[in-house]
Each structure stands twice: as C-alpha cells, then as structure tokens.
Amino acid sequence: MTKELLKGNVAIAEAAVRAGVEAYFGYPITPQTELLEHMSKRMPELGRAFVQAESEVAAINMVYGAASTGKRVMTSSSSPGVSLMQEGLSYIAGSEVPSVIVDVMRGGPGLGNIAPSQSDYFQMVKMAGHGDYKQIVLAPATVQEAIDLTLLAFDLAEKYRTIATVLLDGNIGQLMEPAELPPMRELRQTPPDWAVSGAKGRKKNIISSIHLQPEELETFNHKLQAKLKLIAANEVRYKEYMIEGAELIVVGFGTAGRVAQTAVKLARAQGIPVGLLRPITLWPFPEERLSQLADEARGFLVVEMNAGQMIDDVKIAVAGQCPVEFYGRTGGVVPLPDEVLATIAKLDQATLPANRVAALNG
Amino acid sequence: MTTTPVEQLVYQRPAALSEVHTHYCPGCTHGVAHRLVAEVIDELGIRENTIGVAPVGCSVFCYNYFEVDFVEAAHGRAPAMATGIKRVLPDRVVFTYQGDGDLASIGLAEIMHAALRGENLTVIFINNAIYGMTGGQMAPTTLPGMKTTSSPMGRDVETSGFPIRICELLATMDGATYIARRSLHNPTEIRKAKKAIKQAFENQLHGHGFSLVELLSSCPTNWDIPPAEALKWIEAQMVPVYPLDDFKSVKK
C-alpha cells in the first residue's frame, strides 16, 4: 500500500468501509459532512446500507437497530448533533450492542460555530447520556491516526460489546495529510449468538435496556461496571514526546496535542526540561501514567481547545502533588505554539526550586 | 365411507404467542391485538424469520408475549430502529408495535420519515386516545373534551390542540403502500382488523413498502369506564373522529 493525500473526514469514512462497516446512518452537519457524503457513494457501491436519516435522533436509533443484528454499524456527527444522540447512546450502552460513533467537534455552546473545538470532552468522556456508563473515546491527532483508530474502534466495540467513539476536532476532520489506508476486510458471515436475526432453530433473542426490578437492574449495572473496569485496565493508550528527564509535563490531545508538541520542542531548545503526554484514549484515561509522572514533576500544563475540561482528569491523576496549569482557547480558536511556549516558560519560572532560582540569580 | 373425527381442534394458542400471562389490565384490547398479530405470523409461516420492535408505553413488554426475536426501542424511535434492522437484514420480516403517545407524539418524525422513505416495514399502531403506562394523561389522539389526568377539565382544543389522524396523514405520503384503520370493539371489526394486519404483513413479504394498521383500542382503566362499556365507547365516540377505512392500498 502507498500513501495518499487524504482529508480526515474522508479517511475515516473509507477506513470504516475497509473495516467492514455494513451500515451507515447519518445527518449532514459541518464540519463532518464529507464523511456522510463519502458513505453515500461508497456504501451503495458495495451493496451495503446507507441512510440519510431525518435527524441525529433517528440516525442513532437506526444504528441501535442495525447493531442489534450484530452487524458492524456506525454514525458520525458534530457536537450539536451528538447532543441529540445522547438518548440513543444510553439505550445502546444499556443493551450492550457494539456501535461506532464519530464526533468531529465544532465550537459551542448552542449553535456556536463550525470552527474546530474540543469542547465535547465532557459530553463524550464524562457522560454520553443518562445512567452509569462510559464509552471508549479515541482521540486522533493526525489523519493516519484517525484511520488507525477508526479500525480500532470497530474492534474494541465488538470485543467488549460497547460504544467506541472517535473524537476529533474539526481541524483533523478538514485537513489533508499523506496517510495509508488499510486493505479491505472480509465481512463476518454469521451473526453473534446474542443478535436478533429471526428465532430460527433457537430460542428468541431480545435486545433491551429495561430491567424493571431494582435488584435486577443493579445486577446488570454491576456486570456493566465490571466490563468497564476491564476496558479501563486493558485499553489505555497515549503517546509521549521528550518525556525523558522532563520536569514539566504538558498534556494535550488532538490538535491541541500537536500544537503542544511543537511548543515542547521549542522549549527544549531553550533548555526548559519539558515533555508531552498526548492521551489517545480519553476514556479510559492514562491516569496511572500521569500519576507516575506527577511523582517526579514540578508542574503540569494542560492545553485544550476549550475552557478547561480534560484538566479535571489530569488533576485527579496528579492528586495535588504539584501545580496543574491550564492554557486553552475557545470558540474555534486554535492555540499557537508561541502562546503555549510562553505558558511553559511561565510555569518553569513559577515552579523552579528555591536553590535553582538562587543559582540563576547568583 | 368417510369417518367423522371424534375430536377436532378448533382453537389454540398461536405458536407466535408466548405461553405467559400478560401485564395488561382486564378489558384492555392489547391482548386481542397481540393475538391477531401472532395468528397472522403463524398463518404466513414467518415466526422464525420475524423481528419485532417494541415501543415505550403499555406494550413496552410485548417482547415477552411474542415468540419471535425482539428489540425494545426508545420512546417513539421504533420506526428508526426497525429501519436499521431492515436495511441490514432485508429478507427478514420487521414490524413495530406502537401506541399513540409513542407513534403520534414523540415519534411523529420517525414514523413520517419511515413512511416517506417507503421502508418495507409493517407497523401496528394502537390508538386508545390516552397515555396508559404513565396513568392516563392526554395523548395527541385524545378526543376534544375528553377528561384525562393532564386535561382534568377535558381536552380544550384552544390550549391543547386537536386530535391527530395518523392514517389520513400518512396516506398522503408516496412511500406508504397500505394504510388502514380498524377497530377492536366487536367480533366483526376484530375479523376485519385481522385481515388488514395480514395484508400489512403480506405487503412486506412482497416488498411493496411501508404498511400501517391503526387499531382503535380500549383503555377501561384510564378511561374509568367498565370493559364492556369501553368497547361501546370506542364505537360511539372514537369511530366518528377516527373513521374505519383503507386510506391507501397500492397494488403493485
């Protein structure tokens, strides 16, 4: 295979096709619409299902239905559309049918704008709907990673019978980069034993999220939580950059992570001992690794394209061992490396131990 | 010389109907509607090839009463869920079973667009003019002046609007192929209802597209009317507002 120049949204769509997605349901919304458009051509071409739904509410419930048959299915949207999907996501979580959701984030709240943002962190990571559950959240920073994580999303969704999401800001969705697509996968021929397909030669299968008796629902919730614990233990992913000897740790995901990486490189050139941890899974969060780094670090800087959302999880991991500072831009403004660099330099000064300040002054 | 059998089976539980007690109130016609659907499934020999979609409302647990694969949808979303299933399993028979709050209020967009797309589905729509499961609130189908727990002085059309006629509405849609309203208030009407249900399933088997049968049903508990009188109430009060007819029947 060779590299092609690919737009993020199109790359994700084609990666899903090659991962063996058998049904796509979506609704147009900027900045993810190219994904839906690509599917509208490719899926019928391959004899697979494509429906432009009447709303995101309908789209997610079409996903719920198709996923109940055990087929690989997905939808994609952007922030306000994902808000509308919350109901369906909760039912899908409660029924444990594997589903893949792509959220190409834009500025909010409200109609906000169509510029890149990361302000869906809370919506996707903390609570995607009512009830006690979590969904896997994969956050690519490049087009290649968007392709790789789309494939992974299908695998994880099926492995754990859970919701796996790909969460990217509009920047990654819209930019073009050289990337390599995977080969076409074979479609699964036989449905899993839990799926609805017609009760032929077996007892009927029921896909439902209702457990009317409190004890019964609690038993289900315990089972669900045990599964989530297993995912949390097995599926944490992150990337580190110049972490060796770093006394200051910058944490950022997606586009903010890329900007932060440039800033870290510039800071290192100035002799500031700083490194980057870029979470790839936002849930499960790389809490353990961050906690480990906090044992030695002087300070943390969290860079986000929102008013400060992931910083809560970094603070939980750091647990008060050192200061956690924040630099964020909102409304679709992308932070510049120089802005991040200046914040790193400030954090460096503020956290220098007294003896090293004296040495610098002496 | 022919022999006359000593015993002849004239009545039995349909194979598609589970051998369990339902949670429905005495006098409720959900049980009749279930039986008709189950009989049709048996007669068409599609039990092992059928997937049902249950709604939110009194029939939320109908998946326990049919011996077919079932999914349980979010409130009003059954047509969307059914669309998802049918699009990936086009050779299966997919039906939704929905009440009036589910289909005609919160799920109006989903049912209209499923009809517009001509989804090859069968929809059984129970209209009892009230929200049963939550204890008798006003539904979009509640009659003008009708008292419910959320229209205690009677439905005032000035503030709460008018009843919705789903069949008349859906019959305007090009994607719909069979749209009929029947009633369950007496044996004659029940027999007509079964015929309509059968046609709605046959339409799907022939790949004709979207079919819906609305069934006028009783809710003695929430209407606060004894069962026998409730059936008469359907005929006297509901049928004039919701006429029984085939509103669309496209032969292909």
Side-chain angles (χ1 to χ4, degrees):
Chain A
M1 298 299 254
T2 50
K3 283 191 176 180
E4 303 164 61
L5 194 59
L6 289 167
K7 189 174 193 160
N9 285 336
V10 174
I12 289 175
E14 186 56 30
V17 165
R18 298 191 184 194
V21 71
E22 288 186 74
Y24 172 91
F25 308 97
Y27 186 84
I29 183 170
T30 312
Q32 67 80 48
T33 303
E34 297 86 358
L35 208 166
L36 169 126
E37 287 172 342
H38 186 82
M39 288 306 206
S40 71
K41 182 170 177 287
R42 282 291 274 156
M43 296 298 274
E45 211 171 76
L46 295 163
R48 304 181 191 177
F50 168 89
V51 179
Q52 181 173 322
E54 60 270 31
S55 67
E56 288 89 348
V57 174
I60 193 68
N61 283 287
M62 290 175 189
V63 166
Y64 184 19
S68 299
T69 71
K71 303 276 188 191
R72 287 198 152 186
V73 291
M74 80 181 287
T75 185
S76 62
S77 189
S78 179
S79 313
V82 175
S83 299
L84 280 172
M85 292 184 180
Q86 306 280 310
E87 173 198 64
L89 289 169
S90 179
Y91 279 74
I92 289 170
S95 306
E96 301 187 280
V97 292
S99 305
V100 171
I101 321 293
V102 178
D103 178 4
V104 187
M105 290 179 281
R106 59 187 258 181
L111 204 48
N113 63 24
I114 57 169
S117 165
Q118 297 182 326
S119 52
D120 286 9
Y121 185 93
F122 284 157
Q123 162 159 277
M124 295 294 279
V125 174
K126 290 298 170 188
M127 207 69 248
H130 63 282
D132 284 316
Y133 73 96
K134 295 277 189 184
Q135 50 193 20
I136 294 172
V137 184
L138 307 168
T142 65
V143 172
Q144 185 63 59
E145 215 171 54
I147 292 169
D148 298 344
L149 293 180
T150 300
L151 259 72
L152 180 66
F154 282 103
D155 291 342
L156 294 180
E158 260 169 30
K159 181 176 176 186
Y160 296 103
R161 284 184 62 184
T162 193
I163 302 166
T165 68
V166 182
L167 181 67
L168 57 152
D169 52 78
N171 190 47
I172 313 283
Q174 292 296 323
L175 63 78
M176 292 185 86
E177 285 184 320
E180 193 177 322
L181 285 161
M184 203 71 143
R185 280 196 198 169
E186 294 273 319
L187 299 183
R188 186 173 45 197
Q189 294 308 316
T190 47
D193 57 5
W194 51 263
V196 292
S197 61
K200 194 167 195 169
R202 59 160 169 76
K203 286 175 92 172
K204 66 175 173 181
N205 282 341
I206 295 168
I207 301 289
S208 152
S209 63
I210 188 168
H211 305 271
L212 206 56
Q213 299 306 320
E215 292 77 12
E216 199 188 301
L217 181 55
E218 191 179 47
T219 303
F220 168 77
N221 274 323
H222 285 157
K223 198 185 110 204
L224 184 60
Q225 291 303 315
K227 180 174 84 178
L228 296 177
K229 266 191 187 151
L230 188 69
I231 297 172
N234 292 345
E235 305 299 344
V236 173
R237 287 168 172 82
Y238 55 88
K239 267 199 176 149
E240 292 179 343
Y241 177 72
M242 292 188 161
I243 213 82
E244 190 69 35
E247 295 171 24
L248 304 172
I249 311 294
V250 180
V251 188
F253 68 96
T255 292
R258 281 176 83 156
V259 174
Q261 182 166 324
T262 306
V264 163
K265 194 176 170 188
L266 295 171
R268 278 284 189 174
Q270 293 180 12
I272 302 173
V274 61
L276 170 78
L277 186 141
R278 179 167 66 80
I280 290 172
T281 51
L282 299 178
W283 192 84
F285 195 67
E287 186 179 336
E288 208 177 300
R289 177 57 180 157
L290 285 169
S291 166
Q292 224 172 47
L293 292 169
D295 291 342
E296 310 290 335
R298 278 195 270 138
F300 279 71
L301 172 66
V302 179
V303 182
E304 296 182 72
M305 283 150 58
N306 57 41
Q309 299 193 7
M310 182 179 67
I311 187 171
D312 289 4
D313 285 326
V314 175
K315 280 183 172 172
I316 289 169
V318 170
Q321 294 186 80
C322 60
V324 180
E325 296 299 327
F326 177 72
Y327 186 77
R329 300 299 302 264
T330 73
V333 180
V334 179
L336 295 173
D338 285 351
E339 299 164 17
V340 179
L341 174 63
T343 318
I344 293 171
K346 232 169 84 185
L347 178 67
D348 181 41
Q349 289 300 312
T351 58
L352 271 182
N355 58 343
R356 278 162 65 179
V357 174
L360 280 172
N361 291 339
Chain B
M1 190 181 137
T2 54
T3 55
T4 309
V6 181
E7 289 175 298
Q8 194 181 356
L9 182 67
V10 292
Y11 190 83
Q12 67 175 342
R13 177 184 290 274
L17 204 59
S18 306
E19 211 161 335
V20 293
H21 290 287
T22 73
H23 71 286
Y24 298 119
C25 302
C28 167
T29 44
H30 265 306
V32 177
H34 281 24
R35 180 165 178 113
L36 297 183
V37 171
E39 284 180 359
V40 166
I41 289 173
D42 277 13
E43 287 167 20
L44 296 174
I46 54 173
R47 191 189 70 76
E48 295 183 329
N49 202 33
T50 295
I51 299 167
V53 184
V56 171
C58 279
S59 45
V60 62
F61 295 118
C62 72
Y63 55 78
N64 284 329
Y65 310 144
F66 290 101
E67 279 306 291
V68 304
D69 274 9
F70 243 94
V71 298
E72 161 39 43
H75 200 18
R77 317 296 177 225
M81 217 178 164
T83 298
I85 296 168
K86 188 72 182 183
R87 291 295 183 112
V88 293
L89 297 175
D91 62 341
R92 304 303 199 282
V93 178
V94 182
F95 77 99
T96 73
Y97 188 105
Q98 303 175 258
D100 42 18
D102 192 85
L103 182 143
S105 188
I106 197 167
L108 191 57
E110 284 77 12
I111 196 68
M112 286 175 62
H113 283 274
L116 282 167
R117 287 191 303 267
E119 296 292 343
N120 193 23
L121 302 169
T122 303
V123 175
I124 307 299
F125 169 42
I126 305 295
N127 177 1
N128 59 9
I130 206 154
Y131 280 83
M133 188 58 125
T134 43
Q137 293 76 34
M138 182 177 65
T141 44
T142 293
L143 305 183
M146 184 176 164
K147 285 185 181 176
T148 71
T149 62
S150 60
S151 58
M153 320 301 282
R155 182 176 190 165
D156 178 357
V157 294
E158 290 294 321
T159 54
S160 302
F162 296 87
I164 185 168
R165 295 183 183 91
I166 284 293
C167 286
E168 288 83 341
L169 180 68
L170 294 183
T172 66
M173 293 174 183
D174 292 344
T177 56
Y178 182 59
I179 304 289
R181 184 183 292 120
R182 298 290 187 268
S183 179
L184 302 177
H185 69 264
N186 68 35
T188 308
E189 297 304 327
I190 288 170
R191 270 194 285 274
K192 288 181 189 168
K194 184 178 169 184
K195 267 191 186 163
I197 292 169
K198 195 161 187 178
Q199 184 169 342
F201 274 94
E202 280 170 343
N203 261 18
Q204 184 178 166
L205 288 169
H206 296 141
H208 288 177
F210 185 89
S211 301
L212 176 143
V213 179
E214 175 174 342
L215 300 171
L216 301 185
S217 299
S218 66
C219 181
T221 300
N222 290 303
W223 292 354
D224 200 17
I225 301 176
E229 279 176 51
L231 296 175
K232 288 177 190 152
W233 196 89
I234 293 178
E235 189 174 15
Q237 304 297 325
M238 288 185 75
V239 173
V241 179
Y242 300 111
L244 309 179
D245 206 349
D246 283 358
F247 294 88
K248 192 166 191 184
S249 186
V250 181
K251 298 268 181 266
K252 287 195 180 175

